[in-house]
Amino acid sequence: GAANWTASSGVIGQNGAQQPTHGGTWNAWLDGYGQSHTDTLSQAVAIPSGCHATLTFFLHIDTNETTTTVQYDKLTVAANGTTLGTFSNLNKASGYAQKTFDVSSLAGQTATITFTGVEDASLQTSFVIDDGAVTLS
């Protein structure tokens, strides 16, 4: 659900048949408008000192873009303003794929994990995020 998340209007929802979840009944659907648009999703997570920390989430990307070479629409994943990774219309897939990032360098801090989807002026790309977690060991 939407607990503890900050998001653009309409991002977190029960999207059912339009954008099925990876698990449960809620997911986050960024962009998908087919026009110039930016959506954000973020959460602050305390990472104790001395811990190994891993950010994981499941990502599904679908698009109406037909190119196999040009990145028109982009999702950026960041922690405390530092980019961890980027995905685009070029990464479209039929289902969810698990993504993993080591965020151990943020141990001893409260890390703000941010997903930012930026869509250009034509042809939709949807970035759907589900089952996100920061795991400590």
Side-chain angles (χ1 to χ4, degrees), residues 10 22 25 28 45 53 71 91 99 124 127 135 137:
H22 176 264
T25 57
V45 180
Q71 180 177 281
N91 303 114
K99 306 300 178 184
Q124 77 85 26
F127 301 102
T135 305
S137 59

Side-chain angles (χ1 to χ4, degrees), residues 10-107:
V11 165
I12 298 172
Q14 295 177 306
N15 297 302
Q18 288 181 302
Q19 289 294 348
T21 63
H22 176 264
T25 57
W26 294 79
N27 59 16
W29 180 359
L30 288 77
D31 297 327
Y33 293 90
Q35 61 190 23
S36 183
H37 187 83
T38 299
D39 276 326
T40 59
L41 173 71
S42 66
Q43 185 176 111
V45 180
I47 302 175
S49 294
C51 283
H52 176 78
T54 305
L55 168 67
T56 59
F57 59 93
F58 286 83
L59 176 63
H60 168 65
I61 301 171
D62 66 57
T63 186
N64 289 343
E65 301 285 2
T66 58
T67 182
T68 57
T69 57
V70 181
Q71 180 177 281
Y72 288 115
D73 309 311
K74 184 167 78 171
L75 176 72
T76 302
V77 183
N80 283 357
T82 299
T83 299
L84 301 174
T86 59
F87 305 93
S88 75
N89 51 283
L90 300 177
N91 303 114
K92 67 182 177 182
S94 60
Y96 281 91
Q98 186 174 27
K99 306 300 178 184
T100 303
F101 296 98
D102 187 335
V103 291
S104 300
S105 64
L106 300 172

